[in-house]
Amino acid sequence: MKRYIFPQNKVLVSGHRGESCFGLENTMCAFRRVLDLGVDMIETDVHMSRDGHLILMHDDSVDRTTNGYGKIKDLTLNEIKQLDATKNSKINISPEAPPLLSEFLELMLNYPDVLLNIELKDYPEDDEKFALESADKICQMLVDYEVADRTWINSFSGKLLEYVYLKHGNTFYYHGFYPWFILGEMKINP
């Protein structure tokens, strides 16, 4: 596997949720805007819908960032794709549904030098089986799209990071949080 070589004496700039300054977080518009600015990395958040699709959204519900209501894990892809994820936009743009991870990765294939920071947002502490299925689908998609060598797997759950690491080892980079107690109980020393 090819490994990312970190540039010396360079601060890497990341677009957190894409370009979120104008109320567009985790939308395709937000990702295109930060790519146009020349970022080194894009961070995004992934949840799984009730019917197993990988949706990009920070919160576990659609309430704050769309014109809909409900938890992502309780909604189907069809229900989510009816929503407008630009309801908080501070600029005039066309409505846009929350994107799928696959849509984001299709875009990123055109930017092979941009790094990815993928935050796993379905937590084992809430529903272990669901969270592990979500993590497995995310990781498999990253491998299938051949972007694993430039991807950081990120989570606030140490249990989830350990699960992915034990299954995939150095396929990905890993991003946890300090102080370590934030990650919860872990068997591996981070």
PDB file of all heavy atoms in Angstrom, residues 116-141:
ATOM      1  N   LEU A 116      -8.268  12.834   3.133  1.00  0.00           N
ATOM      2  CA  LEU A 116      -9.626  12.682   3.650  1.00  0.00           C
ATOM      3  C   LEU A 116      -9.587  12.371   5.139  1.00  0.00           C
ATOM      4  O   LEU A 116      -8.780  11.565   5.585  1.00  0.00           O
ATOM      5  CB  LEU A 116     -10.339  11.546   2.921  1.00  0.00           C
ATOM      6  CG  LEU A 116     -10.295  11.582   1.396  1.00  0.00           C
ATOM      7  CD1 LEU A 116     -10.966  10.347   0.830  1.00  0.00           C
ATOM      8  CD2 LEU A 116     -10.929  12.834   0.878  1.00  0.00           C
ATOM      9  N   ASN A 117     -10.463  13.002   5.886  1.00  0.00           N
ATOM     10  CA  ASN A 117     -10.631  12.718   7.302  1.00  0.00           C
ATOM     11  C   ASN A 117     -12.101  12.338   7.472  1.00  0.00           C
ATOM     12  O   ASN A 117     -12.979  13.184   7.392  1.00  0.00           O
ATOM     13  CB  ASN A 117     -10.264  13.944   8.149  1.00  0.00           C
ATOM     14  CG  ASN A 117     -10.250  13.644   9.629  1.00  0.00           C
ATOM     15  OD1 ASN A 117     -11.122  12.962  10.143  1.00  0.00           O
ATOM     16  ND2 ASN A 117      -9.262  14.186  10.318  1.00  0.00           N
ATOM     17  N   ILE A 118     -12.341  11.056   7.658  1.00  0.00           N
ATOM     18  CA  ILE A 118     -13.698  10.514   7.691  1.00  0.00           C
ATOM     19  C   ILE A 118     -14.076  10.197   9.134  1.00  0.00           C
ATOM     20  O   ILE A 118     -13.515   9.293   9.750  1.00  0.00           O
ATOM     21  CB  ILE A 118     -13.796   9.237   6.824  1.00  0.00           C
ATOM     22  CG1 ILE A 118     -13.337   9.513   5.386  1.00  0.00           C
ATOM     23  CG2 ILE A 118     -15.200   8.668   6.885  1.00  0.00           C
ATOM     24  CD1 ILE A 118     -14.174  10.503   4.612  1.00  0.00           C
ATOM     25  N   GLU A 119     -15.019  10.968   9.660  1.00  0.00           N
ATOM     26  CA  GLU A 119     -15.433  10.751  11.047  1.00  0.00           C
ATOM     27  C   GLU A 119     -16.611   9.786  11.096  1.00  0.00           C
ATOM     28  O   GLU A 119     -17.659  10.017  10.490  1.00  0.00           O
ATOM     29  CB  GLU A 119     -15.810  12.065  11.731  1.00  0.00           C
ATOM     30  CG  GLU A 119     -16.103  11.860  13.203  1.00  0.00           C
ATOM     31  CD  GLU A 119     -16.166  13.148  14.001  1.00  0.00           C
ATOM     32  OE1 GLU A 119     -15.710  14.196  13.525  1.00  0.00           O
ATOM     33  OE2 GLU A 119     -16.693  13.085  15.135  1.00  0.00           O
ATOM     34  N   LEU A 120     -16.425   8.701  11.832  1.00  0.00           N
ATOM     35  CA  LEU A 120     -17.463   7.696  12.036  1.00  0.00           C
ATOM     36  C   LEU A 120     -18.401   8.202  13.129  1.00  0.00           C
ATOM     37  O   LEU A 120     -17.983   8.395  14.264  1.00  0.00           O
ATOM     38  CB  LEU A 120     -16.840   6.359  12.446  1.00  0.00           C
ATOM     39  CG  LEU A 120     -15.672   5.850  11.584  1.00  0.00           C
ATOM     40  CD1 LEU A 120     -15.152   4.535  12.127  1.00  0.00           C
ATOM     41  CD2 LEU A 120     -16.090   5.730  10.133  1.00  0.00           C
ATOM     42  N   LYS A 121     -19.656   8.423  12.779  1.00  0.00           N
ATOM     43  CA  LYS A 121     -20.589   9.071  13.702  1.00  0.00           C
ATOM     44  C   LYS A 121     -21.634   8.141  14.313  1.00  0.00           C
ATOM     45  O   LYS A 121     -22.416   8.578  15.156  1.00  0.00           O
ATOM     46  CB  LYS A 121     -21.295  10.223  12.982  1.00  0.00           C
ATOM     47  CG  LYS A 121     -20.363  11.320  12.521  1.00  0.00           C
ATOM     48  CD  LYS A 121     -19.700  12.048  13.652  1.00  0.00           C
ATOM     49  CE  LYS A 121     -20.623  13.072  14.237  1.00  0.00           C
ATOM     50  NZ  LYS A 121     -19.951  14.007  15.149  1.00  0.00           N
ATOM     51  N   ASP A 122     -21.678   6.881  13.908  1.00  0.00           N
ATOM     52  CA  ASP A 122     -22.570   5.915  14.548  1.00  0.00           C
ATOM     53  C   ASP A 122     -21.749   5.206  15.626  1.00  0.00           C
ATOM     54  O   ASP A 122     -20.754   4.547  15.314  1.00  0.00           O
ATOM     55  CB  ASP A 122     -23.109   4.908  13.522  1.00  0.00           C
ATOM     56  CG  ASP A 122     -24.002   5.577  12.493  1.00  0.00           C
ATOM     57  OD1 ASP A 122     -24.862   6.387  12.899  1.00  0.00           O
ATOM     58  OD2 ASP A 122     -23.844   5.298  11.297  1.00  0.00           O
ATOM     59  N   TYR A 123     -22.141   5.370  16.883  1.00  0.00           N
ATOM     60  CA  TYR A 123     -21.317   4.924  18.001  1.00  0.00           C
ATOM     61  C   TYR A 123     -21.771   3.592  18.593  1.00  0.00           C
ATOM     62  O   TYR A 123     -22.971   3.376  18.797  1.00  0.00           O
ATOM     63  CB  TYR A 123     -21.295   5.987  19.097  1.00  0.00           C
ATOM     64  CG  TYR A 123     -20.704   7.289  18.639  1.00  0.00           C
ATOM     65  CD1 TYR A 123     -21.481   8.445  18.577  1.00  0.00           C
ATOM     66  CD2 TYR A 123     -19.372   7.373  18.244  1.00  0.00           C
ATOM     67  CE1 TYR A 123     -20.940   9.643  18.147  1.00  0.00           C
ATOM     68  CE2 TYR A 123     -18.831   8.566  17.812  1.00  0.00           C
ATOM     69  CZ  TYR A 123     -19.614   9.701  17.772  1.00  0.00           C
ATOM     70  OH  TYR A 123     -19.081  10.889  17.344  1.00  0.00           O
ATOM     71  N   PRO A 124     -20.802   2.708  18.918  1.00  0.00           N
ATOM     72  CA  PRO A 124     -21.150   1.424  19.539  1.00  0.00           C
ATOM     73  C   PRO A 124     -21.841   1.590  20.883  1.00  0.00           C
ATOM     74  O   PRO A 124     -22.612   0.729  21.295  1.00  0.00           O
ATOM     75  CB  PRO A 124     -19.815   0.705  19.692  1.00  0.00           C
ATOM     76  CG  PRO A 124     -18.768   1.580  19.158  1.00  0.00           C
ATOM     77  CD  PRO A 124     -19.389   2.854  18.688  1.00  0.00           C
ATOM     78  N   GLU A 125     -21.589   2.689  21.554  1.00  0.00           N
ATOM     79  CA  GLU A 125     -22.219   2.930  22.848  1.00  0.00           C
ATOM     80  C   GLU A 125     -23.733   3.110  22.691  1.00  0.00           C
ATOM     81  O   GLU A 125     -24.487   2.860  23.622  1.00  0.00           O
ATOM     82  CB  GLU A 125     -21.601   4.168  23.515  1.00  0.00           C
ATOM     83  CG  GLU A 125     -20.123   4.005  23.856  1.00  0.00           C
ATOM     84  CD  GLU A 125     -19.155   4.141  22.666  1.00  0.00           C
ATOM     85  OE1 GLU A 125     -19.549   4.633  21.586  1.00  0.00           O
ATOM     86  OE2 GLU A 125     -17.986   3.738  22.827  1.00  0.00           O
ATOM     87  N   ASP A 126     -24.178   3.529  21.501  1.00  0.00           N
ATOM     88  CA  ASP A 126     -25.612   3.716  21.233  1.00  0.00           C
ATOM     89  C   ASP A 126     -26.255   2.434  20.708  1.00  0.00           C
ATOM     90  O   ASP A 126     -27.346   2.070  21.126  1.00  0.00           O
ATOM     91  CB  ASP A 126     -25.827   4.842  20.215  1.00  0.00           C
ATOM     92  CG  ASP A 126     -25.323   6.181  20.716  1.00  0.00           C
ATOM     93  OD1 ASP A 126     -25.319   6.403  21.941  1.00  0.00           O
ATOM     94  OD2 ASP A 126     -24.922   7.003  19.876  1.00  0.00           O
ATOM     95  N   ASP A 127     -25.598   1.795  19.746  1.00  0.00           N
ATOM     96  CA  ASP A 127     -26.109   0.563  19.126  1.00  0.00           C
ATOM     97  C   ASP A 127     -24.915  -0.114  18.457  1.00  0.00           C
ATOM     98  O   ASP A 127     -24.548   0.223  17.337  1.00  0.00           O
ATOM     99  CB  ASP A 127     -27.198   0.894  18.102  1.00  0.00           C
ATOM    100  CG  ASP A 127     -27.807  -0.341  17.453  1.00  0.00           C
ATOM    101  OD1 ASP A 127     -27.158  -1.415  17.432  1.00  0.00           O
ATOM    102  OD2 ASP A 127     -28.929  -0.224  16.931  1.00  0.00           O
ATOM    103  N   GLU A 128     -24.307  -1.049  19.175  1.00  0.00           N
ATOM    104  CA  GLU A 128     -23.043  -1.631  18.726  1.00  0.00           C
ATOM    105  C   GLU A 128     -23.149  -2.306  17.362  1.00  0.00           C
ATOM    106  O   GLU A 128     -22.313  -2.075  16.486  1.00  0.00           O
ATOM    107  CB  GLU A 128     -22.501  -2.624  19.762  1.00  0.00           C
ATOM    108  CG  GLU A 128     -21.131  -3.134  19.388  1.00  0.00           C
ATOM    109  CD  GLU A 128     -20.425  -3.842  20.532  1.00  0.00           C
ATOM    110  OE1 GLU A 128     -20.697  -3.529  21.705  1.00  0.00           O
ATOM    111  OE2 GLU A 128     -19.592  -4.701  20.222  1.00  0.00           O
ATOM    112  N   LYS A 129     -24.152  -3.127  17.155  1.00  0.00           N
ATOM    113  CA  LYS A 129     -24.285  -3.837  15.878  1.00  0.00           C
ATOM    114  C   LYS A 129     -24.410  -2.849  14.715  1.00  0.00           C
ATOM    115  O   LYS A 129     -23.754  -2.995  13.682  1.00  0.00           O
ATOM    116  CB  LYS A 129     -25.490  -4.774  15.927  1.00  0.00           C
ATOM    117  CG  LYS A 129     -25.689  -5.577  14.667  1.00  0.00           C
ATOM    118  CD  LYS A 129     -26.894  -6.503  14.762  1.00  0.00           C
ATOM    119  CE  LYS A 129     -27.079  -7.215  13.442  1.00  0.00           C
ATOM    120  NZ  LYS A 129     -28.348  -7.892  13.347  1.00  0.00           N
ATOM    121  N   PHE A 130     -25.242  -1.834  14.886  1.00  0.00           N
ATOM    122  CA  PHE A 130     -25.456  -0.817  13.850  1.00  0.00           C
ATOM    123  C   PHE A 130     -24.158  -0.054  13.576  1.00  0.00           C
ATOM    124  O   PHE A 130     -23.778   0.166  12.429  1.00  0.00           O
ATOM    125  CB  PHE A 130     -26.571   0.143  14.305  1.00  0.00           C
ATOM    126  CG  PHE A 130     -27.013   1.112  13.253  1.00  0.00           C
ATOM    127  CD1 PHE A 130     -27.982   0.755  12.329  1.00  0.00           C
ATOM    128  CD2 PHE A 130     -26.483   2.393  13.203  1.00  0.00           C
ATOM    129  CE1 PHE A 130     -28.414   1.654  11.355  1.00  0.00           C
ATOM    130  CE2 PHE A 130     -26.899   3.304  12.238  1.00  0.00           C
ATOM    131  CZ  PHE A 130     -27.870   2.929  11.313  1.00  0.00           C
ATOM    132  N   ALA A 131     -23.457   0.349  14.646  1.00  0.00           N
ATOM    133  CA  ALA A 131     -22.227   1.128  14.500  1.00  0.00           C
ATOM    134  C   ALA A 131     -21.130   0.332  13.784  1.00  0.00           C
ATOM    135  O   ALA A 131     -20.420   0.868  12.934  1.00  0.00           O
ATOM    136  CB  ALA A 131     -21.726   1.586  15.866  1.00  0.00           C
ATOM    137  N   LEU A 132     -20.999  -0.940  14.124  1.00  0.00           N
ATOM    138  CA  LEU A 132     -19.973  -1.759  13.486  1.00  0.00           C
ATOM    139  C   LEU A 132     -20.313  -2.022  12.022  1.00  0.00           C
ATOM    140  O   LEU A 132     -19.428  -2.020  11.161  1.00  0.00           O
ATOM    141  CB  LEU A 132     -19.768  -3.059  14.252  1.00  0.00           C
ATOM    142  CG  LEU A 132     -19.301  -2.905  15.712  1.00  0.00           C
ATOM    143  CD1 LEU A 132     -19.073  -4.256  16.351  1.00  0.00           C
ATOM    144  CD2 LEU A 132     -18.075  -2.018  15.832  1.00  0.00           C
ATOM    145  N   GLU A 133     -21.587  -2.207  11.721  1.00  0.00           N
ATOM    146  CA  GLU A 133     -22.001  -2.368  10.327  1.00  0.00           C
ATOM    147  C   GLU A 133     -21.704  -1.100   9.533  1.00  0.00           C
ATOM    148  O   GLU A 133     -21.201  -1.142   8.403  1.00  0.00           O
ATOM    149  CB  GLU A 133     -23.494  -2.698  10.237  1.00  0.00           C
ATOM    150  CG  GLU A 133     -23.983  -2.861   8.812  1.00  0.00           C
ATOM    151  CD  GLU A 133     -25.482  -3.088   8.696  1.00  0.00           C
ATOM    152  OE1 GLU A 133     -26.167  -3.325   9.713  1.00  0.00           O
ATOM    153  OE2 GLU A 133     -25.971  -3.015   7.556  1.00  0.00           O
ATOM    154  N   SER A 134     -22.000   0.046  10.135  1.00  0.00           N
ATOM    155  CA  SER A 134     -21.718   1.330   9.490  1.00  0.00           C
ATOM    156  C   SER A 134     -20.219   1.479   9.229  1.00  0.00           C
ATOM    157  O   SER A 134     -19.794   1.826   8.121  1.00  0.00           O
ATOM    158  CB  SER A 134     -22.230   2.476  10.370  1.00  0.00           C
ATOM    159  OG  SER A 134     -21.909   3.729   9.825  1.00  0.00           O
ATOM    160  N   ALA A 135     -19.405   1.210  10.242  1.00  0.00           N
ATOM    161  CA  ALA A 135     -17.945   1.313  10.097  1.00  0.00           C
ATOM    162  C   ALA A 135     -17.438   0.366   9.016  1.00  0.00           C
ATOM    163  O   ALA A 135     -16.581   0.747   8.200  1.00  0.00           O
ATOM    164  CB  ALA A 135     -17.263   1.018  11.430  1.00  0.00           C
ATOM    165  N   ASP A 136     -17.941  -0.857   9.000  1.00  0.00           N
ATOM    166  CA  ASP A 136     -17.517  -1.823   7.978  1.00  0.00           C
ATOM    167  C   ASP A 136     -17.846  -1.323   6.575  1.00  0.00           C
ATOM    168  O   ASP A 136     -17.022  -1.418   5.660  1.00  0.00           O
ATOM    169  CB  ASP A 136     -18.181  -3.185   8.213  1.00  0.00           C
ATOM    170  CG  ASP A 136     -17.589  -3.952   9.379  1.00  0.00           C
ATOM    171  OD1 ASP A 136     -16.445  -3.658   9.778  1.00  0.00           O
ATOM    172  OD2 ASP A 136     -18.286  -4.848   9.895  1.00  0.00           O
ATOM    173  N   LYS A 137     -19.046  -0.790   6.387  1.00  0.00           N
ATOM    174  CA  LYS A 137     -19.450  -0.287   5.073  1.00  0.00           C
ATOM    175  C   LYS A 137     -18.591   0.906   4.655  1.00  0.00           C
ATOM    176  O   LYS A 137     -18.184   1.024   3.494  1.00  0.00           O
ATOM    177  CB  LYS A 137     -20.923   0.106   5.076  1.00  0.00           C
ATOM    178  CG  LYS A 137     -21.865  -1.065   5.032  1.00  0.00           C
ATOM    179  CD  LYS A 137     -23.303  -0.598   4.915  1.00  0.00           C
ATOM    180  CE  LYS A 137     -24.205  -1.791   4.675  1.00  0.00           C
ATOM    181  NZ  LYS A 137     -25.524  -1.399   4.212  1.00  0.00           N
ATOM    182  N   ILE A 138     -18.329   1.801   5.587  1.00  0.00           N
ATOM    183  CA  ILE A 138     -17.501   2.974   5.291  1.00  0.00           C
ATOM    184  C   ILE A 138     -16.103   2.533   4.867  1.00  0.00           C
ATOM    185  O   ILE A 138     -15.591   2.965   3.834  1.00  0.00           O
ATOM    186  CB  ILE A 138     -17.440   3.916   6.514  1.00  0.00           C
ATOM    187  CG1 ILE A 138     -18.813   4.550   6.764  1.00  0.00           C
ATOM    188  CG2 ILE A 138     -16.362   4.976   6.322  1.00  0.00           C
ATOM    189  CD1 ILE A 138     -18.953   5.204   8.124  1.00  0.00           C
ATOM    190  N   CYS A 139     -15.487   1.686   5.663  1.00  0.00           N
ATOM    191  CA  CYS A 139     -14.123   1.237   5.366  1.00  0.00           C
ATOM    192  C   CYS A 139     -14.059   0.495   4.036  1.00  0.00           C
ATOM    193  O   CYS A 139     -13.132   0.709   3.244  1.00  0.00           O
ATOM    194  CB  CYS A 139     -13.594   0.369   6.505  1.00  0.00           C
ATOM    195  SG  CYS A 139     -13.318   1.308   8.019  1.00  0.00           S
ATOM    196  N   GLN A 140     -15.036  -0.352   3.775  1.00  0.00           N
ATOM    197  CA  GLN A 140     -15.041  -1.086   2.510  1.00  0.00           C
ATOM    198  C   GLN A 140     -15.172  -0.134   1.326  1.00  0.00           C
ATOM    199  O   GLN A 140     -14.503  -0.298   0.299  1.00  0.00           O
ATOM    200  CB  GLN A 140     -16.171  -2.116   2.481  1.00  0.00           C
ATOM    201  CG  GLN A 140     -16.101  -3.021   1.267  1.00  0.00           C
ATOM    202  CD  GLN A 140     -14.787  -3.796   1.196  1.00  0.00           C
ATOM    203  OE1 GLN A 140     -14.428  -4.502   2.127  1.00  0.00           O
ATOM    204  NE2 GLN A 140     -14.054  -3.662   0.090  1.00  0.00           N
ATOM    205  N   MET A 141     -15.997   0.888   1.480  1.00  0.00           N
ATOM    206  CA  MET A 141     -16.157   1.853   0.393  1.00  0.00           C
ATOM    207  C   MET A 141     -14.863   2.627   0.160  1.00  0.00           C
ATOM    208  O   MET A 141     -14.462   2.876  -0.981  1.00  0.00           O
ATOM    209  CB  MET A 141     -17.313   2.810   0.683  1.00  0.00           C
ATOM    210  CG  MET A 141     -17.650   3.700  -0.502  1.00  0.00           C
ATOM    211  SD  MET A 141     -19.112   4.722  -0.241  1.00  0.00           S
ATOM    212  CE  MET A 141     -20.399   3.474  -0.332  1.00  0.00           C
TER     213      MET A 141
END
